[in-house]
Protein backbone atom coordinates (compact mmCIF):
# COMPACT_ATOMS: atom_id res chain seq x y z
CA UNK A 1 0.00 0.00 0.00
CA UNK A 2 1.35 3.43 -0.96
CA UNK A 3 1.06 6.12 1.69
CA UNK A 4 0.12 9.69 0.68
CA UNK A 5 2.87 10.98 2.98
CA UNK A 6 5.51 8.54 1.70
CA UNK A 7 5.72 5.98 4.50
CA UNK A 8 6.25 3.25 1.89
CA UNK A 9 9.53 4.96 0.89
CA UNK A 10 11.03 4.82 4.39
CA UNK A 11 13.82 2.23 4.62
CA UNK A 12 15.06 2.94 8.13
CA UNK A 13 13.91 3.30 10.78
CA UNK A 14 10.56 1.82 9.81
CA UNK A 15 7.49 3.60 11.15
CA UNK A 16 8.71 7.21 11.03
CA UNK A 17 7.77 9.86 8.49
CA UNK A 18 10.17 10.45 5.56
CA UNK A 19 11.61 13.63 7.05
CA UNK A 20 12.61 11.84 10.24
CA UNK A 21 13.93 8.77 8.45
CA UNK A 22 17.64 8.09 8.15
CA UNK A 23 17.27 6.55 4.70
CA UNK A 24 14.64 6.58 1.95
CA UNK A 25 14.01 4.34 -1.03
CA UNK A 26 14.60 6.59 -4.04
CA UNK A 27 13.81 3.95 -6.68
CA UNK A 28 12.86 5.43 -10.05
CA UNK A 29 9.60 3.52 -10.51
CA UNK A 30 6.66 5.48 -9.11
CA UNK A 31 3.49 4.40 -7.34
CA UNK A 32 0.11 5.46 -8.76
CA UNK A 33 -0.08 8.48 -6.40
CA UNK A 34 3.52 9.67 -6.93
CA UNK A 35 5.27 11.99 -9.39
CA UNK A 36 8.81 11.66 -10.71
CA UNK A 37 10.79 14.83 -11.41
CA UNK A 38 13.84 15.03 -13.66
CA UNK A 39 16.04 17.21 -11.49
CA UNK A 40 17.71 20.28 -12.95
CA UNK A 41 18.96 22.14 -9.89
CA UNK A 42 19.02 21.84 -6.12
CA UNK A 43 18.91 24.80 -3.77
CA UNK A 44 20.62 23.91 -0.49
CA UNK A 45 19.15 25.77 2.46
CA UNK A 46 21.38 28.51 3.85
CA UNK A 47 22.06 26.91 7.25
CA UNK A 48 23.09 23.61 5.67
CA UNK A 49 25.34 25.20 3.06
CA UNK A 50 27.01 27.43 5.65
CA UNK A 51 27.72 24.47 7.93
CA UNK A 52 29.21 22.40 5.11
CA UNK A 53 31.28 25.28 3.79
CA UNK A 54 32.64 26.16 7.24
CA UNK A 55 33.36 22.51 8.04
CA UNK A 56 35.52 22.19 4.92
CA UNK A 57 37.10 25.64 5.10
CA UNK A 58 35.44 26.75 1.86
CA UNK A 59 36.93 23.86 -0.13
CA UNK A 60 34.29 23.35 -2.82
CA UNK A 61 35.55 19.91 -3.81
CA UNK A 62 35.10 18.62 -0.28
CA UNK A 63 31.66 20.23 0.03
CA UNK A 64 30.59 18.59 -3.22
CA UNK A 65 31.92 15.23 -2.12
CA UNK A 66 30.01 15.38 1.17
CA UNK A 67 26.75 16.39 -0.50
CA UNK A 68 27.11 13.44 -2.89
CA UNK A 69 27.82 11.12 0.02
CA UNK A 70 24.76 12.32 1.95
CA UNK A 71 22.46 11.81 -1.03
CA UNK A 72 23.94 8.40 -1.82
CA UNK A 73 23.72 7.14 1.75
CA UNK A 74 20.36 8.58 2.69
CA UNK A 75 18.38 8.62 -0.56
CA UNK A 76 17.64 12.29 0.10
CA UNK A 77 19.52 15.50 0.86
CA UNK A 78 19.45 16.04 4.63
CA UNK A 79 22.45 17.57 6.35
CA UNK A 80 23.07 15.35 9.40
CA UNK A 81 24.30 18.32 11.47
CA UNK A 82 21.64 20.95 10.72
CA UNK A 83 18.88 18.47 9.86
CA UNK A 84 17.89 20.68 6.94
CA UNK A 85 17.98 20.28 3.17
CA UNK A 86 16.56 22.74 0.67
CA UNK A 87 14.41 22.28 -2.43
CA UNK A 88 14.75 21.72 -6.19
CA UNK A 89 13.56 22.55 -9.67
CA UNK A 90 13.09 20.15 -12.54
CA UNK A 91 10.68 18.80 -15.14
CA UNK A 92 7.89 16.32 -14.54
CA UNK A 93 8.82 13.03 -16.21
CA UNK A 94 5.86 10.96 -15.09
CA UNK A 95 2.76 11.60 -13.01
CA UNK A 96 0.93 8.66 -11.48
CA UNK A 97 -2.69 8.23 -12.52
CA UNK A 98 -3.85 8.79 -8.92
CA UNK A 99 -1.59 11.72 -8.08
CA UNK A 100 -3.63 14.66 -6.71
CA UNK A 101 -0.94 17.25 -7.48
CA UNK A 102 -2.31 18.19 -10.90
CA UNK A 103 1.11 18.02 -12.55
CA UNK A 104 1.57 16.89 -16.15
CA UNK A 105 4.53 15.43 -17.98
CA UNK A 106 6.68 18.29 -19.25
CA UNK A 107 5.72 20.77 -16.51
CA UNK A 108 8.75 22.63 -15.19
CA UNK A 109 8.29 22.87 -11.44
CA UNK A 110 9.83 23.85 -8.14
CA UNK A 111 9.18 21.59 -5.18
CA UNK A 112 7.82 23.41 -2.15
CA UNK A 113 8.62 20.61 0.26
CA UNK A 114 12.03 20.06 1.80
CA UNK A 115 14.73 17.85 0.32
CA UNK A 116 14.85 16.26 3.80
CA UNK A 117 11.76 14.23 2.89
CA UNK A 118 12.15 13.99 -0.89
CA UNK A 119 13.56 10.74 -2.35
CA UNK A 120 16.48 11.84 -4.53
CA UNK A 121 19.08 10.29 -6.83
CA UNK A 122 21.92 12.23 -8.50
CA UNK A 123 23.36 10.65 -11.64
CA UNK A 124 26.00 13.13 -12.81
CA UNK A 125 28.26 13.29 -9.75
CA UNK A 126 27.41 17.02 -9.42
CA UNK A 127 30.07 17.56 -12.09
CA UNK A 128 28.81 21.07 -12.96
CA UNK A 129 28.86 22.36 -9.36
CA UNK A 130 31.95 23.90 -7.79
CA UNK A 131 30.66 23.49 -4.23
CA UNK A 132 30.76 27.22 -3.56
CA UNK A 133 27.13 28.26 -3.95
CA UNK A 134 23.76 27.22 -2.58
CA UNK A 135 22.38 26.49 -6.06
CA UNK A 136 23.54 23.14 -7.37
CA UNK A 137 23.15 22.25 -11.07
CA UNK A 138 22.69 18.51 -11.41
CA UNK A 139 21.02 15.63 -13.19
CA UNK A 140 18.97 12.90 -11.57
CA UNK A 141 15.46 12.29 -10.32
CA UNK A 142 13.27 12.98 -7.32
CA UNK A 143 9.93 11.61 -6.13
CA UNK A 144 6.93 13.60 -4.89
CA UNK A 145 4.21 12.08 -2.73
CA UNK A 146 0.47 12.72 -2.78
CA UNK A 147 0.89 15.18 0.12
CA UNK A 148 3.87 16.96 -1.45
CA UNK A 149 3.63 20.49 -2.84
CA UNK A 150 5.06 21.84 -6.08
CA UNK A 151 4.60 24.99 -8.14
CA UNK A 152 4.85 25.31 -11.91
CA UNK A 153 7.65 27.80 -12.60
CA UNK A 154 6.46 31.18 -13.92
CA UNK A 155 7.44 31.96 -17.50
CA UNK A 156 8.31 35.61 -16.75
CA UNK A 157 11.08 34.95 -14.22
CA UNK A 158 14.51 33.37 -14.58
CA UNK A 159 14.42 29.83 -13.15
CA UNK A 160 17.35 30.56 -10.86
CA UNK A 161 15.53 33.57 -9.44
CA UNK A 162 12.31 31.58 -9.04
CA UNK A 163 14.19 28.82 -7.24
CA UNK A 164 15.78 31.28 -4.82
CA UNK A 165 12.42 32.93 -4.09
CA UNK A 166 10.39 29.76 -3.70
CA UNK A 167 13.04 28.29 -1.40
CA UNK A 168 12.01 30.83 1.28
CA UNK A 169 8.43 31.64 0.28
CA UNK A 170 6.99 30.56 3.62
CA UNK A 171 8.73 33.44 5.42
CA UNK A 172 6.95 36.43 3.86
CA UNK A 173 3.58 34.67 3.95
CA UNK A 174 3.71 33.94 7.67
CA UNK A 175 5.19 37.38 8.40
CA UNK A 176 2.29 39.00 6.54
CA UNK A 177 -0.23 36.93 8.49
CA UNK A 178 1.29 37.76 11.88
CA UNK A 179 1.60 41.47 11.12
CA UNK A 180 -1.94 41.68 9.72
CA UNK A 181 -3.27 40.04 12.88
CA UNK A 182 -1.42 42.56 15.05
CA UNK A 183 -2.73 45.47 12.96
CA UNK A 184 -6.31 44.17 13.12
CA UNK A 185 -6.08 43.67 16.89
CA UNK A 186 -4.97 47.25 17.44
CA UNK A 187 -7.69 48.60 15.21
CA UNK A 188 -10.25 46.51 17.08
CA UNK A 189 -8.96 47.75 20.44
CA UNK A 190 -8.82 51.37 19.31
CA UNK A 191 -5.05 51.41 19.87
CA UNK A 192 -3.53 54.11 17.62
CA UNK A 193 0.04 52.81 17.86
CA UNK A 194 1.67 51.59 14.66
CA UNK A 195 2.81 47.98 14.57
CA UNK A 196 6.60 47.74 14.60
CA UNK A 197 8.57 44.91 13.00
CA UNK A 198 12.23 43.90 13.23
CA UNK A 199 13.71 41.49 10.71
CA UNK A 200 17.02 39.96 11.76
CA UNK A 201 18.93 39.18 8.59
CA UNK A 202 16.95 41.75 6.61
CA UNK A 203 19.24 41.81 3.58
CA UNK A 204 18.98 38.07 2.91
CA UNK A 205 16.46 36.18 0.81
CA UNK A 206 13.81 35.49 3.41
CA UNK A 207 14.63 38.71 5.27
CA UNK A 208 14.09 41.06 2.34
CA UNK A 209 10.85 39.32 1.39
CA UNK A 210 9.67 39.49 5.01
CA UNK A 211 10.37 43.23 5.23
CA UNK A 212 8.36 43.84 2.07
CA UNK A 213 5.55 41.58 3.27
CA UNK A 214 5.41 43.33 6.66
CA UNK A 215 5.06 46.73 5.04
CA UNK A 216 2.37 45.47 2.70
CA UNK A 217 0.49 43.93 5.65
CA UNK A 218 0.32 47.29 7.45
CA UNK A 219 3.43 47.58 9.60
CA UNK A 220 4.00 51.21 10.50
CA UNK A 221 7.74 51.01 11.12
CA UNK A 222 10.26 48.35 10.22
CA UNK A 223 13.91 47.82 11.06
CA UNK A 224 16.27 45.54 9.19
CA UNK A 225 19.15 44.14 11.23
CA UNK A 226 22.33 43.15 9.36
CA UNK A 227 25.83 42.15 10.51
CA UNK A 228 28.10 44.10 8.15
CA UNK A 229 28.27 47.50 6.50
CA UNK A 230 27.97 46.13 2.95
CA UNK A 231 24.62 44.54 3.76
CA UNK A 232 23.51 47.71 5.53
CA UNK A 233 24.28 49.79 2.45
CA UNK A 234 22.51 47.32 0.15
CA UNK A 235 19.39 47.24 2.33
CA UNK A 236 19.30 51.02 2.66
CA UNK A 237 19.51 51.32 -1.13
CA UNK A 238 16.69 48.79 -1.50
CA UNK A 239 14.38 51.00 0.57
CA UNK A 240 12.61 48.09 2.26
CA UNK A 241 12.99 49.17 5.89
CA UNK A 242 12.28 52.35 7.83
CA UNK A 243 15.60 51.86 9.63
CA UNK A 244 18.64 49.65 9.00
CA UNK A 245 21.01 48.84 11.86
CA UNK A 246 24.22 46.92 12.35
CA UNK A 247 24.28 44.31 15.10
CA UNK A 248 25.58 40.82 15.79
CA UNK A 249 22.41 38.76 16.20
CA UNK A 250 24.31 36.38 18.50
CA UNK A 251 24.84 39.19 21.04
CA UNK A 252 21.50 39.50 22.89
CA UNK A 253 22.16 42.90 24.43
CA UNK A 254 23.56 44.40 21.23
CA UNK A 255 20.66 43.11 19.13
CA UNK A 256 18.02 44.26 21.60
CA UNK A 257 19.66 47.68 21.98
CA UNK A 258 19.94 48.18 18.21
CA UNK A 259 16.27 47.34 17.60
CA UNK A 260 14.94 49.36 20.53
CA UNK A 261 17.08 52.39 19.67
CA UNK A 262 15.98 52.31 16.02
CA UNK A 263 12.27 51.92 16.78
CA UNK A 264 12.13 53.77 20.08
CA UNK A 265 10.44 50.70 21.56
CA UNK A 266 10.93 46.93 21.37
CA UNK A 267 9.44 45.39 18.24
CA UNK A 268 5.89 44.04 18.21
CA UNK A 269 7.02 41.37 15.75
CA UNK A 270 10.57 40.06 15.41
CA UNK A 271 11.38 37.82 12.46
CA UNK A 272 14.61 35.78 12.61
CA UNK A 273 16.00 34.92 9.18
CA UNK A 274 19.71 34.44 9.85
CA UNK A 275 21.44 31.13 9.20
CA UNK A 276 23.71 31.03 12.27
CA UNK A 277 22.97 29.54 15.70
CA UNK A 278 22.75 31.55 18.91
CA UNK A 279 20.26 34.25 17.90
CA UNK A 280 17.34 33.09 20.04
CA UNK A 281 17.87 35.16 23.20
CA UNK A 282 18.49 38.40 21.34
CA UNK A 283 15.31 38.01 19.35
CA UNK A 284 13.28 37.44 22.51
CA UNK A 285 14.90 40.39 24.27
CA UNK A 286 14.21 42.67 21.28
CA UNK A 287 10.47 41.88 21.32
CA UNK A 288 7.84 43.75 23.34
CA UNK A 289 5.69 42.01 25.95
CA UNK A 290 2.69 40.58 24.14
CA UNK A 291 4.65 40.51 20.89
CA UNK A 292 5.57 37.67 18.57
CA UNK A 293 8.88 36.16 17.52
CA UNK A 294 8.92 34.18 14.28
CA UNK A 295 11.89 31.85 13.77
CA UNK A 296 12.62 30.93 10.15
CA UNK A 297 16.23 29.85 10.48
CA UNK A 298 17.00 26.14 10.52
CA UNK A 299 19.93 27.05 12.79
CA UNK A 300 17.48 27.92 15.58
CA UNK A 301 17.57 25.95 18.83
CA UNK A 302 13.96 25.88 19.89
CA UNK A 303 14.94 24.63 23.35
CA UNK A 304 17.19 27.68 23.72
CA UNK A 305 14.37 29.94 22.57
CA UNK A 306 11.83 28.49 25.00
CA UNK A 307 14.17 28.37 27.99
CA UNK A 308 15.55 31.80 27.16
CA UNK A 309 12.10 33.36 27.10
CA UNK A 310 11.31 31.71 30.42
CA UNK A 311 14.56 32.92 31.95
CA UNK A 312 13.91 36.47 30.76
CA UNK A 313 10.30 36.38 32.00
CA UNK A 314 9.36 37.42 28.48
CA UNK A 315 5.65 37.35 27.63
CA UNK A 316 6.09 36.64 23.92
CA UNK A 317 4.53 34.22 21.49
CA UNK A 318 7.11 32.20 19.58
CA UNK A 319 6.29 30.67 16.21
CA UNK A 320 8.20 28.14 14.15
CA UNK A 321 8.09 29.01 10.46
CA UNK A 322 7.29 25.65 8.93
CA UNK A 323 7.68 26.82 5.35
CA UNK A 324 4.04 26.41 4.36
CA UNK A 325 1.21 28.93 4.36
CA UNK A 326 -1.60 28.70 1.78
CA UNK A 327 -0.75 30.99 -1.14
CA UNK A 328 2.87 31.40 -0.07
CA UNK A 329 4.41 30.84 -3.50
CA UNK A 330 2.15 33.35 -5.22
CA UNK A 331 2.77 35.98 -2.55
CA UNK A 332 6.55 35.66 -2.70
CA UNK A 333 6.69 35.77 -6.49
CA UNK A 334 4.40 38.81 -6.52
CA UNK A 335 6.69 40.61 -4.08
CA UNK A 336 9.67 39.99 -6.35
CA UNK A 337 7.73 41.25 -9.35
CA UNK A 338 6.34 44.36 -7.63
CA UNK A 339 9.14 45.39 -5.26
CA UNK A 340 12.27 46.59 -7.11
CA UNK A 341 14.25 46.59 -3.87
CA UNK A 342 13.56 42.92 -3.27
CA UNK A 343 14.35 41.96 -6.84
CA UNK A 344 17.57 43.94 -6.76
CA UNK A 345 18.80 42.17 -3.63
CA UNK A 346 17.98 38.77 -5.11
CA UNK A 347 19.71 39.64 -8.40
CA UNK A 348 22.85 40.77 -6.58
CA UNK A 349 22.89 37.63 -4.46
CA UNK A 350 22.50 35.36 -7.49
CA UNK A 351 25.23 37.23 -9.37
CA UNK A 352 27.60 36.93 -6.40
CA UNK A 353 26.77 33.24 -5.94
Amino acid sequence: MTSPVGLHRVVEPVGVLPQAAWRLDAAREIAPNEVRIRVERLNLDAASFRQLSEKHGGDGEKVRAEVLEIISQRGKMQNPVTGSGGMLIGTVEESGRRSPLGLRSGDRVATLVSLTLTPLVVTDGLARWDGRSEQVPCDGWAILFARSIAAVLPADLDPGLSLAVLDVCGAPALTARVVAEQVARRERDGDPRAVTVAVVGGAGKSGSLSLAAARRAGAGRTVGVVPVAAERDALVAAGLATEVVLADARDPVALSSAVTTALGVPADVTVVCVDVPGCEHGAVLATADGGTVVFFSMATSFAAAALGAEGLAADVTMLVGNGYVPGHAELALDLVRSEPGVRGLFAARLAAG
Side-chain angles (χ1 to χ4, degrees):
M1 181 176 178
T2 56
S3 163
V5 296
L7 289 173
H8 58 287
R9 290 275 183 172
V10 173
V11 176
E12 60 174 310
V14 175
V16 302
L17 292 172
Q19 194 278 333
W22 173 253
R23 186 159 61 97
L24 299 181
D25 175 6
R28 190 173 185 277
E29 184 178 355
I30 62 170
N33 63 351
E34 293 181 327
V35 173
R36 186 176 65 254
I37 306 294
R38 187 73 180 187
V39 180
E40 172 184 327
R41 190 177 304 182
L42 309 178
N43 193 103
L44 303 183
D45 82 278
S48 176
F49 178 72
R50 176 188 286 271
Q51 185 275 325
L52 290 167
S53 184
E54 290 180 349
K55 173 182 177 180
H56 296 295
D59 187 325
E61 290 296 323
K62 292 181 178 178
V63 172
R64 180 172 64 184
E66 182 161 357
V67 170
L68 278 170
E69 183 180 14
I70 291 170
I71 296 171
S72 175
Q73 286 184 344
R74 306 196 65 177
K76 59 177 179 174
M77 177 55 210
Q78 184 172 27
N79 184 316
V81 175
T82 65
S84 54
M87 43 93 75
L88 62 85
I89 61 173
T91 301
V92 175
E93 277 191 333
E94 184 179 1
S95 183
R97 66 184 186 279
R98 296 179 184 171
S99 170
L101 303 186
L103 300 176
R104 298 175 298 177
S105 179
D107 283 344
R108 201 176 186 197
V109 300
T111 59
L112 301 181
V113 291
S114 176
L115 293 176
T116 62
L117 57 84
T118 304
L120 174 67
V121 170
V122 169
T123 58
D124 68 347
L126 302 182
R128 292 172 290 148
W129 183 46
D130 63 5
R132 292 185 169 87
S133 65
E134 296 171 8
Q135 294 206 6
V136 184
C138 66
D139 195 13
W141 69 80
I143 306 297
L144 299 183
F145 310 131
R147 287 284 296 272
S148 298
I149 316 166
V152 176
L153 290 174
D156 63 319
L157 297 176
D158 176 80
L161 175 59
S162 296
L163 179 61
V165 173
L166 293 173
D167 180 45
V168 295
C169 64
L174 184 54
T175 298
R177 175 190 285 179
V178 171
V179 172
E181 289 172 350
Q182 290 264 10
V183 170
R185 186 179 304 117
R186 292 202 171 164
E187 291 177 347
R188 185 173 60 249
D189 295 343
D191 187 340
R193 293 177 300 156
V195 171
T196 57
V197 177
V199 177
V200 185
K205 295 189 299 183
S206 57
S208 59
L209 285 166
S210 295
L211 281 168
R215 182 170 62 187
R216 182 179 289 189
R221 298 191 67 199
T222 58
V223 57
V225 182
V226 295
V228 295
E231 290 192 10
R232 177 195 60 199
D233 296 343
L235 190 53
V236 168
L240 297 176
T242 309
E243 305 286 344
V244 181
V245 297
L246 281 173
D248 184 342
R250 298 165 296 184
D251 183 331
V253 175
L255 177 59
S256 174
S257 177
V259 170
T260 302
T261 299
L263 294 174
V265 292
D268 297 309
V269 178
T270 300
V271 184
V272 181
C273 296
V274 292
D275 57 2
V276 294
C279 304
E280 301 85 4
H281 294 174
V284 171
L285 202 58
T287 307
D289 282 347
T292 301
V293 185
V294 186
F295 292 104
F296 279 106
S297 171
M298 290 295 101
T300 300
S301 166
F302 300 106
L307 294 173
E310 179 185 46
L312 293 166
D315 178 22
V316 296
T317 298
M318 294 184 290
L319 301 179
V320 179
N322 73 353
Y324 176 70
V325 177
H328 60 338
E330 295 81 0
L331 173 65
L333 291 170
D334 182 61
L335 286 171
V336 169
R337 292 186 180 103
S338 61
E339 297 280 352
V342 173
R343 188 156 186 167
L345 287 172
F346 269 82
R349 185 182 184 92
L350 289 170

